[in-house]
Amino acid sequence: MAIRERVFNAIITCFKRHGAEVIDTPVFELKETLTGKYGEDSKLIYDLKDQGGELLSLRYDLTVPFARYLAMNKITNIKRYHIAKVYRRDNPAMTRGRYREFYQCDFDIAGQFDPMIPDAECLKIVHEILSDLQLGDFLIKVNDRRILDGMFAVCGVPDSKFRTICSTVDKLDKMPWEEVRSEMVGEKGLSPEAADRIGEYVQLHGGLDLIERLLQDPKLSQNKLAKEGLGDMKLLFEYLTLFGITGKVSFDLSLARGLDYYTGVIYEAVLLQGERPWEEPVSVGSVAGGGRYDRLVGMFDPKGRKVPCVGVSIGIERIFSILEQRVEASEEKIRTTETQVLVASAQKKLLEERLKLISELWDAGIKAEVLYKKNPKLLSQLQYCEDTGIPLVAIVGEQELKDGVVKLRVVATREEVNVRRESLVEEIRMRTSRP
Amino acid sequence: MAIRERVFNAIITCFKRHGAEVIDTPVFELKETLTGKYGEDSKLIYDLKDQGGELLSLRYDLTVPFARYLAMNKITNIKRYHIAKVYRRDNPAMTRGRYREFYQCDFDIAGQFDPMIPDAECLKIVHEILSDLQLGDFLIKVNDRRILDGMFAVCGVPDSKFRTICSTVDKLDKMPWEEVRSEMVGEKGLSPEAADRIGEYVQLHGGLDLIERLLQDPKLSQNKLAKEGLGDMKLLFEYLTLFGITGKVSFDLSLARGLDYYTGVIYEAVLLQGERPWEEPVSVGSVAGGGRYDRLVGMFDPKGRKVPCVGVSIGIERIFSILEQRVEASEEKIRTTETQVLVASAQKKLLEERLKLISELWDAGIKAEVLYKKNPKLLSQLQYCEDTGIPLVAIVGEQELKDGVVKLRVVATREEVNVRRESLVEEIRMRTSRP
């Protein structure tokens, strides 16, 4: 949790830096709200038991609830973040940070705006967060659903198979092309020729040069959707150049993303492994993903009014698992509390004095603890500080009480000074303020 | 959410001041974990649908999951806080802050310690939080399950009816004694004489004086449980005197609390209404509650090993609803974002320059926004600042670009100054730092 708090802070700081407000939605949604939004993954949705009343399910992500919230409250314009848990009836894989209950950290921009400006900001955010967290080298892959659909069309995929073939392309980060091809042809019934044509496109990745080349591609350039997508991709890369982040962004035709609701640009950030030979390569895949979904809000509006949206979700559990492994490997000791001082006594029968002193410290805003024993040994009080990392001990004793002082001991150096009672708060603050 | 963030911060600050670490448990528990822990309220538990695998329920509170967590991980000693949502299939009452999904903010101390020291700290925490939040006058009622049980025994309640009569006593904060009495006699089958004897005790409330008097009570003082409870209550009040908070604490024999798992001291904080004649009286009941539960962890341990616990739960939804009503009444405008500056332009065709500048500001840690339009009007950019409370506008224009400056405008005063580009970050920081 201590590591988690650090990561959350970095992410929230970034979201706030980009002017987002925070919202919250309930953990359950009407079952029908979630139905038909997640493609093949819908089977992973947790349902609540029918105990009377509406049929409910646990949220599967934060995007569909956000769209439902916008439609229900007739919001056409918002930039918000939401950090909360989502639920999937999946097979957990602890080391890869995959659980049935896990946090998502979402940032989304809803509203009718000029093309690709909010989209570019989402990629800037991914870049800022992954740089801040110092997770090692990373790459943000970018594609566009319209380019994919155009590509499927010119390769001869029937319209009705676009989404299912898209799901298969999405597996390219986990299986080699040969397996993906055989799923397309075998399970999905695509012609081998169409599959092979797809195979040529999906190996392409690059930057502005590739976009320019594809804009000249004799087949793709004839397809309206693909042309639109490529035009916007060009604009996106121009904005990313202004943000100075094209070095870590790759236009990648193999990126598909599984979810049904994307309509435009899509992206996914992956950590690059084994870059440094002296480090153990960490086996984690994508750590952030998102895209544009311009039709989702309209699905929840009674009049079908559309609110274009683009957003990004940070895959924080994978980030946690990497950082936790790193902390374990380093044997760095992480404090789980922030206590500044332990109020202790050297002799017996001083519980009342300890309680009086700690009460003064709490009221002055000092983070303080006391052992819950009437007559604890000084040694066990000092040991407690060693164990929990408390840096200071305020020791009350008969003589000190008479003199109106408290003995302040620095745990690390064993240095002891007598501090006048009225200066104690100031002294503790000074000695525990971070540089 | 902006109000919520403030309240959470106040509460977390207090919990950390008392040396608590933070833990998290899953939103669902095995159904059997929750069974038989909540008395008559068990019917309010949400169950998950049986989709294969274990039968699961949504957590009803944070206390039972905490006890399960301690037993499962063999933890015998911890001071932790947990802020998370819990679920109850209850009738919502929005104005009173009662929902089916709501936050609880729990602080608990687990471990074998000398009597009443951690218990007193829990009450100190309630006192600190309610004082910090400035919710108006409040009172912390305190009782002890052992005193209640002793009282039931000496009043002639059969052992088997202790818990159910306790549930009925718990309703005294919502109904008059006559109704409570008739439930005892009518529904619960208690003899009228026993009910009347209870009626005499439950009207008692006071401080150390009442405790002393009851310790001399010819009937109660003969009952072992009651005597133990009264002895500890006396000790508790001595510690509360050292903490200087007895003024707001009342030993109240009518306090029962509904949950089954309490074994010792119990408490509940209520807001006192209509104290100030010029204020609308706010209709809210208890805003914090808790107590000692020494046997709950043992129920989850295969060998029945006990870990004594005491804790407090802050009823944050009620606090939110009071503060929200207060903000609405005051027409105070609360900002939902923290943006320091809007990057704007006075002329057309400056989108690229705006993006370059905002990228610099983000990278320097400045909270900045830009309108997602190629050529927004200056007026609409200024209006956006008025609407959202952004205090500064950084305006790029042809001339300023040539001169290497940015025009910084203070929204409130309309003052404008030209700032050299390299000093802009410093200037924004200075002008938006809180006093």
Side-chain angles (χ1 to χ4, degrees):
Chain A
M1 290 298 289
I3 300 172
R4 285 175 180 237
E5 256 190 298
R6 280 192 206 169
V7 177
F8 280 138
N9 277 341
I11 291 174
I12 291 171
T13 302
C14 175
F15 289 164
K16 286 189 172 174
R17 191 161 58 230
H18 287 262
E21 56 189 296
V22 59
I23 73 158
D24 192 19
T25 65
V27 81
F28 32 57
E29 294 283 338
L30 293 180
K31 186 176 161 60
E32 63 191 59
T33 298
L34 306 189
T35 305
K37 307 298 185 306
Y38 300 109
E40 296 182 358
D41 284 346
S42 289
K43 59 179 186 293
L44 303 181
I45 294 173
Y46 273 105
D47 293 329
L48 262 74
K49 191 170 153 184
D50 183 1
Q51 294 171 291
E54 310 88 344
L55 288 182
L56 301 169
S57 300
L58 298 186
R59 62 181 165 215
Y60 178 90
D61 67 3
L62 302 177
T63 309
V64 170
F66 174 57
R68 193 264 310 150
Y69 167 87
L70 294 185
M72 210 160 149
N73 296 289
K74 298 195 171 50
I75 296 167
T76 55
N77 202 320
I78 192 175
K79 182 157 56 178
R80 80 90 180 80
Y81 73 90
H82 189 186
I83 295 183
K85 287 174 173 178
V86 302
Y87 299 89
R88 300 186 185 176
R89 295 179 49 248
D90 208 346
N91 289 324
M94 313 292 257
T95 50
R96 302 185 61 229
R98 204 165 72 188
Y99 306 92
R100 289 182 176 163
E101 170 181 71
F102 59 95
Y103 276 105
Q104 281 197 336
C105 301
D106 281 22
F107 173 96
D108 292 80
I109 301 171
Q112 186 70 56
F113 301 115
D114 282 331
M116 308 318 280
I117 314 178
D119 314 59
E121 183 169 3
C122 288
L123 295 181
K124 177 78 170 86
I125 284 174
V126 175
H127 193 278
E128 284 177 20
I129 290 174
L130 295 183
S131 305
D132 272 9
L133 291 175
Q134 298 179 291
L135 296 166
D137 204 9
F138 63 88
L139 184 70
I140 309 174
K141 298 180 190 175
V142 186
N143 199 359
D144 192 297
R145 273 285 163 91
R146 292 166 297 173
I147 300 175
L148 278 168
D149 284 356
M151 174 184 92
F152 293 144
V154 304
C155 291
V157 179
D159 282 17
S160 62
K161 293 205 163 127
F162 276 17
R163 284 284 75 78
T164 182
I165 292 300
C166 193
S167 291
T168 308
V169 169
D170 189 46
K171 296 177 182 166
L172 271 171
D173 58 341
K174 292 180 206 103
M175 10 164 135
W177 165 248
E178 276 315 311
E179 282 180 46
V180 168
R181 183 184 181 281
S182 86
E183 181 175 314
M184 285 181 179
V185 177
E187 285 178 43
K188 310 268 166 112
L190 193 66
S191 74
E193 297 74 28
D196 289 338
R197 272 179 234 126
I198 294 174
E200 275 169 43
Y201 281 115
V202 295
Q203 61 184 290
L204 300 175
H205 50 88
L208 263 175
D209 51 330
L210 175 62
I211 300 168
E212 297 287 6
R213 221 171 75 212
L214 288 176
L215 274 168
Q216 308 304 325
D217 182 280
K219 284 179 290 176
L220 272 188
S221 61
Q222 296 306 309
N223 181 282
K224 188 170 163 285
L225 271 180
K227 222 176 139 187
E228 263 178 47
L230 286 166
D232 277 349
M233 189 60 70
K234 192 176 159 192
L235 199 55
L236 178 67
F237 268 78
E238 283 164 12
Y239 295 153
L240 298 182
T241 307
L242 296 169
F243 289 160
I245 62 171
T246 43
K248 300 243 184 244
V249 181
S250 166
F251 170 43
D252 188 326
L253 281 155
S254 74
L255 179 72
R257 294 192 58 78
L259 300 175
D260 276 357
Y261 50 64
Y262 292 119
T263 55
V265 65
I266 48 177
Y267 33 81
E268 197 165 290
V270 294
L271 296 185
L272 298 184
Q273 300 158 8
E275 280 289 286
R276 300 173 193 172
W278 61 88
E279 276 185 8
E280 275 288 285
V282 186
S283 159
V284 288
S286 118
V287 288
R292 177 162 282 284
Y293 48 104
D294 286 349
R295 287 190 286 268
L296 194 57
V297 179
M299 291 168 77
F300 297 112
D301 188 283
K303 295 186 181 158
R305 274 170 297 217
K306 284 179 190 163
V307 179
C309 296
V310 64
V312 61
S313 183
I314 308 293
I316 198 160
E317 302 288 346
R318 286 196 175 161
I319 294 173
F320 289 153
S321 83
I322 295 165
L323 293 178
E324 277 163 13
Q325 282 165 33
R326 197 181 286 174
V327 167
E328 269 170 39
S330 75
E331 289 176 26
E332 184 198 341
K333 214 174 171 184
I334 291 209
R335 283 192 71 185
T336 55
T337 65
E338 298 173 11
T339 309
Q340 295 164 284
V341 62
L342 182 81
V343 174
S345 57
Q347 300 109 349
K348 291 192 171 184
K349 299 202 178 164
L350 287 168
L351 174 62
E352 300 205 347
E353 292 301 334
R354 282 192 287 140
L355 293 184
K356 245 194 272 182
L357 177 57
I358 199 167
S359 187
E360 283 174 32
L361 295 178
W362 285 330
D363 292 342
I366 298 291
K367 295 171 189 146
E369 287 183 70
V370 66
L371 290 200
Y372 304 121
K373 284 184 79 112
K374 270 182 102 84
N375 297 307
K377 289 182 186 133
L378 185 59
L379 204 65
S380 60
Q381 296 174 92
L382 297 178
Q383 188 60 47
Y384 182 78
C385 294
E386 297 276 0
D387 293 346
T388 59
I390 298 175
L392 297 173
V393 195
I395 304 169
V396 287
E398 299 290 359
Q399 191 55 49
E400 287 85 359
L401 283 168
K402 277 185 204 132
D403 300 345
V405 298
V406 172
K407 191 183 281 172
L408 196 63
R409 178 184 170 114
V410 181
V411 177
T413 62
R414 299 182 184 187
E415 172 201 355
E416 290 185 346
V417 281
N418 279 337
V419 180
R420 294 211 59 77
R421 186 105 173 194
E422 59 271 24
S423 323
L424 183 61
V425 167
E426 202 41 57
E427 186 74 23
I428 293 171
R429 274 201 197 122
M430 205 197 62
R431 286 174 178 268
T432 52
S433 67
R434 302 235 173 117
Chain B
M1 290 299 288
I3 300 173
R4 283 174 182 237
E5 253 189 301
R6 280 192 206 168
V7 176
F8 280 137
N9 277 341
I11 291 174
I12 292 171
T13 301
C14 175
F15 290 165
K16 286 189 172 175
R17 189 161 60 231
H18 287 262
E21 56 190 295
V22 58
I23 74 157
D24 191 19
T25 65
V27 82
F28 31 59
E29 292 284 338
L30 292 180
K31 185 175 161 60
E32 64 190 60
T33 298
L34 306 189
T35 304
K37 308 297 186 306
Y38 300 108
E40 296 182 358
D41 283 347
S42 289
K43 60 179 185 294
L44 302 181
I45 294 173
Y46 273 105
D47 292 329
L48 263 73
K49 190 169 153 186
D50 183 1
Q51 295 170 291
E54 311 87 345
L55 288 181
L56 301 170
S57 300
L58 298 187
R59 61 184 165 213
Y60 178 90
D61 68 3
L62 301 177
T63 309
V64 170
F66 174 57
R68 192 265 310 151
Y69 167 87
L70 293 185
M72 211 161 148
N73 296 288
K74 299 195 171 51
I75 296 167
T76 55
N77 201 321
I78 192 174
K79 183 159 53 178
R80 80 90 178 81
Y81 73 91
H82 189 186
I83 295 182
K85 287 174 173 178
V86 302
Y87 300 88
R88 298 185 187 178
R89 294 180 47 248
D90 208 343
N91 289 324
M94 313 291 258
T95 49
R96 302 185 61 229
R98 205 167 71 189
Y99 306 92
R100 289 183 175 161
E101 170 181 72
F102 58 97
Y103 275 104
Q104 281 197 337
C105 301
D106 281 23
F107 172 97
D108 292 81
I109 301 171
Q112 187 71 58
F113 301 116
D114 282 333
M116 308 318 280
I117 314 177
D119 314 59
E121 183 169 3
C122 288
L123 296 180
K124 177 80 170 84
I125 283 174
V126 175
H127 194 277
E128 284 177 20
I129 289 174
L130 295 183
S131 306
D132 273 8
L133 291 175
Q134 297 178 290
L135 296 167
D137 205 8
F138 62 89
L139 183 71
I140 308 172
K141 298 179 188 175
V142 185
N143 198 0
D144 192 298
R145 273 284 163 91
R146 291 166 299 174
I147 300 175
L148 277 168
D149 285 355
M151 173 184 92
F152 293 144
V154 304
C155 290
V157 179
D159 283 16
S160 62
K161 291 204 164 128
F162 277 16
R163 283 285 74 76
T164 183
I165 293 299
C166 192
S167 292
T168 307
V169 169
D170 189 45
K171 296 178 183 168
L172 271 171
D173 57 343
K174 291 180 206 100
M175 18 165 131
W177 164 248
E178 277 314 311
E179 283 180 45
V180 167
R181 183 185 181 280
S182 87
E183 180 175 315
M184 285 180 178
V185 177
E187 285 177 44
K188 309 269 165 110
L190 194 65
S191 76
E193 298 73 30
D196 290 338
R197 271 179 235 126
I198 293 174
E200 275 168 44
Y201 280 116
V202 295
Q203 61 184 288
L204 301 174
H205 51 90
L208 262 175
D209 51 330
L210 175 62
I211 301 168
E212 296 288 5
R213 221 171 76 211
L214 289 177
L215 274 168
Q216 308 304 324
D217 182 278
K219 286 179 290 175
L220 271 188
S221 63
Q222 297 306 308
N223 180 284
K224 188 170 163 282
L225 271 180
K227 221 176 139 189
E228 262 180 46
L230 286 165
D232 277 350
M233 190 60 71
K234 191 176 160 192
L235 200 55
L236 178 67
F237 267 78
E238 284 164 11
Y239 295 153
L240 297 182
T241 307
L242 296 170
F243 289 160
I245 62 172
T246 43
K248 302 240 183 244
V249 181
S250 166
F251 170 43
D252 188 325
L253 280 155
S254 74
L255 179 73
R257 294 193 58 76
L259 300 175
D260 276 357
Y261 51 64
Y262 292 119
T263 55
V265 64
I266 49 179
Y267 32 82
E268 198 165 288
V270 294
L271 296 186
L272 298 183
Q273 300 158 9
E275 280 289 286
R276 298 172 195 175
W278 61 89
E279 276 185 8
E280 274 290 285
V282 186
S283 160
V284 288
S286 118
V287 288
R292 176 162 284 283
Y293 48 103
D294 285 350
R295 286 191 287 267
L296 193 56
V297 178
M299 291 169 77
F300 297 112
D301 188 283
K303 294 185 181 159
R305 274 170 297 215
K306 284 180 191 162
V307 179
C309 297
V310 64
V312 61
S313 183
I314 308 293
I316 198 159
E317 303 287 348
R318 286 195 174 162
I319 295 173
F320 289 153
S321 83
I322 295 165
L323 293 178
E324 278 161 14
Q325 283 164 34
R326 196 181 287 174
V327 167
E328 269 169 41
S330 75
E331 290 176 26
E332 183 197 342
K333 214 173 170 184
I334 291 208
R335 283 194 70 185
T336 55
T337 65
E338 298 173 11
T339 308
Q340 295 164 284
V341 63
L342 182 81
V343 175
S345 56
Q347 301 108 349
K348 292 192 170 184
K349 298 202 179 163
L350 288 167
L351 174 61
E352 300 205 347
E353 292 300 333
R354 281 192 287 139
L355 294 184
K356 245 195 271 179
L357 177 58
I358 199 168
S359 187
E360 282 173 34
L361 295 178
W362 285 331
D363 292 344
I366 299 292
K367 294 171 189 145
E369 287 183 70
V370 67
L371 291 201
Y372 303 122
K373 284 184 80 109
K374 269 183 103 85
N375 296 309
K377 289 182 187 133
L378 186 59
L379 203 66
S380 61
Q381 295 174 91
L382 296 178
Q383 188 59 47
Y384 183 78
C385 294
E386 297 276 359
D387 294 345
T388 59
I390 299 175
L392 297 174
V393 194
I395 304 170
V396 287
E398 299 291 359
Q399 191 55 47
E400 287 84 359
L401 284 168
K402 276 186 206 133
D403 301 345
V405 298
V406 172
K407 191 183 282 174
L408 198 63
R409 177 184 170 114
V410 182
V411 177
T413 62
R414 301 182 182 186
E415 172 202 356
E416 290 185 346
V417 279
N418 279 337
V419 180
R420 293 212 57 77
R421 186 105 172 194
E422 60 272 23
S423 323
L424 184 62
V425 167
E426 203 41 57
E427 187 74 23
I428 293 170
R429 273 200 198 122
M430 205 196 64
R431 287 175 179 268
T432 53
S433 68
R434 302 237 173 115

